[in-house]
């Protein structure tokens, strides 16, 4: 029992600093012992790694197994994969992957219609669906949120900074809920609704960005309680 | 004369130090019958004397041709995209013919283009060479899902339009047989079900396709048709009257449509005109319908007026016509387009519409014999089966070049050689899959 408590304590202490990318597993609880290295998914990077000598280091290390949803496809994107993992229902990831593909197609259609409408500013309209997706999530990411802290019988909403992964997870969750939250029977389907939400977020408009701004506003209002983070 | 100079360049590999005027790319391509590579060496050699022109010539433009008349399409246009002029495209495909996704794609690309492929050229060649005084030929297009059967049929439709065939086009028989807008009991025969709105819509389509032809040919009714006490068509009245009557009086539109189809079929013996019947998903006429009588029993296809009338065109008891039909696997079972990860058991009974599932059609064959049921096969036999295969290397390259040109492929990594190889691998050269994969890129 003490050992388990100890390792959880270690986990919390050894969490990465704010703003830096976090490893997918904690050292204390991973099925892999610490010697195991992450697999290299990008096949195009292998040549660079050969030249820089990284490959030589990896040659004698045991390597973790690749997760089924991580592929070495050139079109694989980590953030999109995390989004699909969050958005799918009943284990039907293949369906969600296909729906996101259709949503990207719809997004391209909307943006290219804008391009075609105004011939002058053709360069300024972003039509790359993955860039729109990344920017949308970046725009929806809250930087600080409030967490309830009990001090002296009262519960205060204390502003806390968020780690990158946590804030990205939150943004993705908000987008997914915004898309699902429409009246049944559903007349519009997932790809079109998702495309509209992502494009709105890309332009810093829409429900999800508004929610982020509301959260920031609440944090700002409660900044007097920020010292409660440390007791 | 310049064409001959260039073909000589190609055949004898003369170094083009002769003075060669700058010609348009398309004329260069038409003059030589061989593949890209030879032509490109010709281009690079001939234009080495004009450095400014070299930069504007690129390999990728070999996927397009200027020839928008399908009558002039030949093997030298294989794997090239041709544009259907916008006014003709709206005329031909106003009712349908392309799925919603495809229409959206055409809107994004700002043009209606089709790839010139071998099956379409084959059908057009047969249509050119057929003896029209003999019973009609039936051409059945078959192939895997997403291989381009509908697009081939539409290419042939455009050809028929240019060649001044009378066009009888049914883009979606499932709209008549499974999901009609409205059904009503027929006044002509009690057992029959009319589909007034669908018939009126089809009559409008018929009018859009064939208006000028009807004026020229001046077809007349051969017998009396009594629509109601006051509305009677006498023998010798122009067919246009029946057409207009059907469109304005929706109650009689199914019967008007049946009459028009019957008249066109009977009068084709005269040889004044040729008929081209283009049907997508022809096996829908031989599957069970989803329309029900008031007492909840299923209606037979032969009891749906317009479907019955259209089916009569498939038999070969008439002349001066041609039937181009597509068979579609997706109609046989309740087919769900979305891909699902969970494994599904393939059921042995493939024609039961009561079963919920299997949602896959991989256990069903693509061949017309298996998709047209026994009755269908008896109607169609003997027919000319034409396989519509998946893309070959040249067509695949052409497709990806076209998507690049239309800016459909946006991600930089998908434009590299490795990216394109991966698209080819993932799609397995299937045209529909290529489009769907490129949707996400």
């Amino acid at each position: 029992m003490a050992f388990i408590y100890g390792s959880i304590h270690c986990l919390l202490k050894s969490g990465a600093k704010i703003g830096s990318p976090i490893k997918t597993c904690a050292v204390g609880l991973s099925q892999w012992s610490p010697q195991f290295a992450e697999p290299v998914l990008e096949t195009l990077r292998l040549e660079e790694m050969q030249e820089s000598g990284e490959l030589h280091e990896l040659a004698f290390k045991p390597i973790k197994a690749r997760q089924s949803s991580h592929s070495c496809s050139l079109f694989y994107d980590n953030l999109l994969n995390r989004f699909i993992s969050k958005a799918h229902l009943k284990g039907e990831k293949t369906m969600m992957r296909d729906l996101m593909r259709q949503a990207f197609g719809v997004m391209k259609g909307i943006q290219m219609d804008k391009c075609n409408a105004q011939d002058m500013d053709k360069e300024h309209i972003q039509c790359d669906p993955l860039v729109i997706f990344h920017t949308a999530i970046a725009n929806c990411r809250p930087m600080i949120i409030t967490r309830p802290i009990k001090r002296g019988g009262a519960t205060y909403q204390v502003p806390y900074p968020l780690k990158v992964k946590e804030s990205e997870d939150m943004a993705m969750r908000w987008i997914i809920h915004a898309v699902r939250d429409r009246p049944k029977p559903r007349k519009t389907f997932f790809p079109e609704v998702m495309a509209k939400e992502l494009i709105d977020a890309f332009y810093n408009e829409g429900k999800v960005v508004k929610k982020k701004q509301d959260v920031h506003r609440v944090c700002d209002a409660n900044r007097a309680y920020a010292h409660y983070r440390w007791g | 004369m310049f064409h001959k100079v260039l073909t000589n360049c190609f055949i004898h590999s003369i170094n083009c130090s002769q003075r060669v005027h700058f010609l348009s790319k398309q004329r260069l391509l038409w003059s030589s019958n061989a593949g890209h590579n030879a032509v490109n060496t010709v281009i690079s050699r001939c234009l080495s004397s004009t450095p400014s022109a070299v930069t504007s010539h690129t390999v990728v433009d070999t996927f397009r041709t200027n020839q928008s008349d399908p009558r002039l399409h030949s093997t030298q246009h294989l794997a090239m995209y041709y544009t259907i002029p916008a006014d003709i495209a709206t005329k031909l495909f106003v009712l349908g013919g392309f799925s919603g996704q495809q229409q959206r794609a055409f809107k994004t690309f700002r043009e209606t283009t089709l790839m010139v492929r071998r099956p379409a050229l084959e059908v057009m060649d047969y249509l050119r060479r057929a003896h029209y005084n003999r019973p009609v030929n039936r051409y059945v297009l078959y192939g895997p899902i997403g291989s381009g059967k509908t697009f081939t049929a539409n290419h042939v439709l455009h050809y028929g339009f240019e060649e001044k065939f009378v066009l009888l086009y049914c883009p979606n028989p499932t709209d008549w047989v499974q999901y009609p807008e409205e059904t009503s009991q027929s006044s002509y025969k009690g057992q029959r079900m009319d589909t007034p709105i669908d018939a009126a819509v089809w009559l409008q389509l018929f009018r859009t396709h064939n208006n000028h032809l009807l004026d020229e040919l001046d077809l007349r009714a051969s017998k009396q048709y009594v629509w109601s006490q006051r509305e009677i068509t006498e023998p010798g009245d122009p067919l246009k009257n029946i057409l207009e009557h059907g469109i304005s009086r929706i109650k009689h539109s199914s019967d008007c449509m049946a009459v028009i189809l019957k008249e066109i079929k009977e009068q084709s013996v005269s040889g004044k005109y040729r008929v081209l019947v283009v049907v997508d998903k022809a096996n829908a006429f031989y599957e069970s319908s989803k329309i029900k009588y008031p007492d909840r029993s299923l209606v037979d296809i032969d009891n749906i007026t317009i479907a019955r009338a259209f089916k009569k065109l498939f038999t070969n008891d008439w002349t001066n016509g041609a039937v181009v039909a597509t068979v579609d696997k997706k109609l046989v079972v309740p087919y769900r387009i979305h891909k699902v990860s969970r494994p599904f058991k393939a059921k042995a009974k493939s024609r039961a519409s009561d079963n919920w599932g299997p949602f896959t059609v991989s256990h069903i064959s693509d061949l017309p014999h298996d998709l047209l049921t026994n009755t269908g096969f008896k109607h169609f036999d003997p027919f000319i089966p034409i396989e519509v295969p998946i893309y070959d290397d040249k067509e695949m390259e052409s497709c990806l070049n076209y998507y690049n040109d239309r800016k459909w492929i946006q991600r930089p990594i998908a434009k590299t050689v490795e990216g394109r190889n991966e698209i080819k691998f993932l799609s397995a050269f299937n045209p529909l899959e290529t489009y769907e994969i490129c949707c996400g890129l």
Side-chain angles (χ1 to χ4, degrees):
Chain A
M1 191 64 182
F3 173 69
I4 294 166
Y5 179 79
S7 32
I8 292 170
H9 192 63
C10 275
L11 211 188
L12 290 169
K13 280 252 169 166
S14 70
K17 292 193 198 112
I18 296 156
S20 60
I22 299 176
K23 297 265 186 293
T24 42
C25 59
V27 171
L29 302 174
S30 168
Q31 67 175 27
W32 305 104
S33 75
Q35 315 134 303
F36 278 74
E38 295 284 343
V40 176
L41 293 175
E42 309 96 49
T43 42
L44 297 177
R45 263 195 68 212
L46 289 174
E47 268 190 55
E48 298 169 25
M49 293 177 77
Q50 176 94 26
E51 284 159 22
S52 65
E54 281 177 68
L55 215 57
H56 182 74
E57 286 173 24
L58 278 180
F60 299 101
K61 275 190 176 177
I63 303 192
K64 294 178 193 171
R66 175 183 65 84
Q67 288 184 33
S68 329
S69 52
H70 294 198
S71 79
C72 42
S73 159
L74 290 170
F75 311 133
Y76 171 74
D77 182 56
N78 213 354
L79 191 66
L80 183 61
N81 181 52
R82 279 166 57 198
F83 189 87
I84 287 168
S85 299
K86 280 196 156 2
H88 78 279
L89 296 169
K90 294 185 183 173
E92 292 180 356
K93 260 193 194 167
T94 323
M95 184 194 270
M96 183 48 65
R97 213 178 293 143
D98 206 44
L99 287 173
M100 284 310 293
R101 199 183 270 167
Q102 287 177 41
F104 278 15
V106 174
M107 273 202 305
K108 269 198 290 190
I110 296 173
Q111 293 294 89
M112 280 166 76
D113 283 346
K114 287 184 196 160
C115 269
N116 295 335
Q118 37 153 303
D119 288 297
M120 297 301 287
D121 291 355
K122 256 197 179 127
E123 292 86 59
H124 299 301
I125 297 187
Q126 182 59 256
C127 292
D128 186 340
L130 201 68
V131 170
I132 297 177
F133 175 72
H134 280 257
T135 320
I137 295 201
N139 287 346
C140 292
R141 267 184 52 210
M143 297 300 163
I144 33 172
I145 57 163
T146 52
R147 290 203 169 115
I149 296 277
K150 261 192 162 176
R151 290 275 179 276
T155 314
Y156 299 100
Q157 294 292 334
V158 177
Y160 268 81
L162 279 181
K163 299 167 188 170
V164 174
K165 182 167 182 290
E166 236 181 303
S167 67
E168 278 175 355
D169 284 344
M170 213 168 231
M172 292 196 278
R173 205 183 319 142
W174 287 345
I175 293 175
I176 291 160
H177 288 326
V179 169
R180 282 192 194 150
D181 180 34
R182 46 195 210 285
K184 287 186 183 173
R186 301 213 164 120
K187 297 286 167 70
T188 46
F189 297 122
F190 183 93
E192 283 83 24
V193 187
M194 174 60 77
K196 286 211 181 81
E197 287 293 342
L198 288 174
I199 287 178
D200 282 343
F202 174 74
Y203 286 117
N204 267 314
E205 301 159 351
K207 287 190 264 185
V208 193
V209 171
K210 184 173 175 299
K211 183 164 177 140
K212 175 198 87 164
Q213 288 164 353
D214 285 344
V215 165
H216 282 179
R217 226 169 280 139
V218 169
C219 289
D220 198 41
N222 285 323
R223 63 174 182 258
Y225 306 123
H227 65 281
Y228 282 145
R229 266 175 72 194
W230 298 280
Chain B
M1 184 213 139
F2 292 118
H3 289 216
K4 279 195 190 149
V5 164
L6 288 162
T7 42
N8 285 335
C9 278
F10 159 68
I11 293 164
H12 303 296
S13 310
I14 299 167
N15 198 7
C16 286
S17 51
Q18 310 156 357
R19 193 170 58 106
V20 175
H21 287 278
F22 175 76
L23 285 180
S24 73
K25 249 185 313 304
Q26 275 71 35
R27 286 175 69 188
L28 278 172
L29 291 166
W30 295 343
S31 63
S32 64
N33 275 326
H36 305 304
N37 293 327
V39 176
N40 290 327
T41 49
V42 172
I43 294 173
S44 55
R45 268 193 237 134
C46 291
L47 296 172
S48 54
S49 55
T50 54
S52 56
V54 174
T55 49
S56 64
H57 275 291
T58 46
V59 178
V60 295
D61 270 307
T62 54
F63 57 84
R64 220 194 256 278
T65 174
N66 270 345
Q67 184 56 266
S68 65
D69 190 351
R71 291 175 290 182
L72 300 174
H73 284 159
S74 64
T75 47
Q76 58 177 279
H77 300 119
L78 276 180
M80 292 195 210
Y81 281 86
Y82 87 97
T83 318
I84 307 180
D87 51 337
I88 296 180
T90 43
K91 232 177 156 184
L92 287 177
F93 305 121
V94 64
L95 220 202
F98 292 115
S99 74
Q101 204 190 33
Q102 290 158 357
Q103 279 173 0
R104 187 73 183 82
F106 287 141
K107 190 172 163 227
T108 312
F109 300 157
R110 289 191 294 171
E111 57 187 8
T112 314
T113 46
L114 299 180
M115 196 196 273
V116 177
R117 295 180 73 196
R118 203 168 287 279
L121 292 179
E122 201 180 327
V123 175
M124 297 194 300
D125 186 45
Y126 293 155
L127 289 176
R128 247 175 247 132
R129 294 190 293 156
H131 288 279
Y132 284 100
N133 49 0
R134 304 223 185 120
V136 292
N137 280 330
R138 282 77 56 87
Y139 309 98
V140 178
L141 302 168
Y142 70 97
I145 292 179
S147 63
K149 304 181 281 292
T150 307
F151 276 57
T152 310
N154 289 337
H155 191 175
V156 175
L157 184 76
H158 186 203
Y159 169 81
F161 179 77
E162 297 288 347
E163 276 281 340
K164 309 250 188 292
F165 279 79
V166 171
L167 295 177
L168 299 175
Y169 183 37
C170 174
N172 256 325
T174 46
D175 280 351
W176 300 348
V177 153
Q178 289 181 359
Y179 312 108
E181 296 277 334
E182 196 195 314
T183 53
S184 64
Q185 209 80 24
S186 169
S187 51
Y188 176 53
K189 290 229 164 126
Q191 267 275 332
R192 302 249 177 98
M193 291 296 270
D194 274 355
T195 52
I197 298 180
D198 290 290
V201 166
W202 187 87
L203 285 172
Q204 288 181 342
L205 178 78
F206 176 77
R207 185 173 58 177
T208 325
H209 284 336
N210 301 308
N211 213 5
H212 53 284
L213 270 180
L214 285 177
D215 288 332
E216 273 176 41
L217 296 169
D218 196 25
L219 298 169
R220 308 229 159 214
S222 57
K223 48 183 248 215
Q224 194 196 49
Y225 296 107
V226 181
W227 308 114
S228 68
Q229 263 195 346
R230 271 172 250 164
E231 290 150 337
I232 303 174
T233 309
E234 299 296 332
D237 276 355
L239 275 189
K240 277 199 101 169
N241 287 4
I242 304 180
L243 185 63
E244 299 298 327
H245 177 77
I247 293 171
S248 51
R249 290 275 278 138
I250 295 203
K251 208 168 138 205
H252 302 149
S253 61
S254 312
D255 293 321
C256 287
M257 182 172 156
V259 159
I260 285 180
L261 291 173
K262 183 174 141 195
E263 288 288 331
I264 289 180
K265 184 178 166 181
E266 281 175 1
Q267 292 179 27
S268 64
V269 170
S270 63
K272 280 201 290 180
Y273 59 90
R274 298 175 299 177
V275 184
L276 180 65
V277 182
V278 180
V279 187
D280 223 4
K281 307 189 191 65
N283 53 333
F285 288 107
Y286 302 105
E287 299 284 335
S288 56
S289 79
K290 286 193 181 152
I291 309 179
K292 294 192 175 144
Y293 286 119
D295 65 353
R296 304 278 221 88
S297 57
L298 283 176
V299 180
D300 251 351
I301 304 266
D302 283 329
N303 279 332
I304 303 171
T305 332
I306 52 178
R308 181 200 177 86
F310 219 91
K311 261 172 89 169
K312 290 188 182 168
L313 293 166
F314 296 157
T315 49
N316 61 351
D317 52 2
W318 53 297
T319 59
N320 286 305
V323 178
V324 177
T326 316
V327 280
D328 194 2
K329 213 152 82 157
K330 297 189 284 241
L331 305 174
V332 180
V333 292
Y335 175 80
R336 225 164 82 190
I337 313 283
H338 283 164
K339 299 174 173 66
V340 173
S341 337
R342 290 174 294 177
F344 270 97
K345 284 183 277 189
K347 305 231 164 128
K349 301 179 269 189
S350 55
R351 287 198 195 287
S353 49
D354 298 335
N355 280 341
W356 193 71
F359 301 124
T360 52
V361 288
S362 44
H363 59 288
I364 301 172
S365 96
D366 301 316
L367 304 173
H369 174 84
D370 298 317
L371 291 175
L372 301 163
T373 51
N374 286 331
T375 31
F377 193 74
K378 276 184 209 144
H379 277 179
F380 272 86
D381 192 30
F383 60 86
I384 301 171
I386 293 169
E387 200 200 350
V388 182
I390 51 179
Y391 283 155
D392 60 21
D393 289 323
K394 189 171 160 193
E395 288 171 339
M396 190 69 190
E397 278 292 311
S398 185
C399 178
L400 292 176
N401 288 336
Y402 178 70
Y403 288 155
N404 259 323
D405 175 63
R406 292 285 99 193
K407 305 218 169 54
W408 188 235
I409 298 181
Q410 284 283 332
R411 285 180 66 177
I413 200 160
K415 299 184 194 178
T416 60
V417 174
E418 293 96 2
R420 286 163 74 111
N421 284 340
E422 181 151 339
I423 295 174
K424 289 178 192 176
F425 174 74
L426 289 174
S427 67
F429 288 79
N430 185 305
L432 183 63
E433 285 288 341
T434 326
Y435 172 75
E436 290 189 343
I437 288 168
C438 294
C439 270
L441 296 177

